[in-house]
Amino acid sequence: MAQLSFDNQGRVLVPPHLRQQAGLESEIVYLGCGNYFEIWDRAVWEQYEREDDEFLEEKSAAMNATHG
């Protein structure tokens, strides 16, 4: 977590070491999370969502199999 500043046009300035650490390449996803936000590289976020969806589908199928 880091405190960031804005430029005169209201853009968030992400320091190079944080861009590198987060793997920000070109397109980003900005997620509001209460009093903070997260910035993800779009490709990484899409992969995370796919894996999360697959995990939830597997858990749902397993629950249906045991309760169905």
Side-chain angles (χ1 to χ4, degrees):
M1 187 179 302
Q3 290 187 343
L4 304 175
S5 58
F6 295 90
D7 69 7
N8 291 336
Q9 295 180 335
R11 298 175 296 194
V12 174
L13 304 174
V14 180
H17 73 281
L18 292 177
R19 288 194 308 263
Q20 182 181 9
Q21 181 180 352
L24 301 179
E25 296 293 328
S26 66
E27 292 187 33
I28 61 134
V29 175
Y30 170 88
L31 303 166
C33 302
N35 62 352
Y36 70 96
F37 63 90
E38 297 177 353
I39 301 172
W40 290 66
D41 181 79
R42 178 175 293 281
V44 173
W45 173 253
E46 289 173 351
Q47 179 64 33
Y48 174 80
E49 278 193 310
R50 278 192 298 277
E51 291 173 1
D52 190 49
D53 287 347
E54 291 170 7
F55 174 79
L56 292 175
E57 287 174 13
E58 290 171 7
K59 292 298 179 186
S60 178
M63 287 179 62
N64 288 335
T66 59
H67 292 87

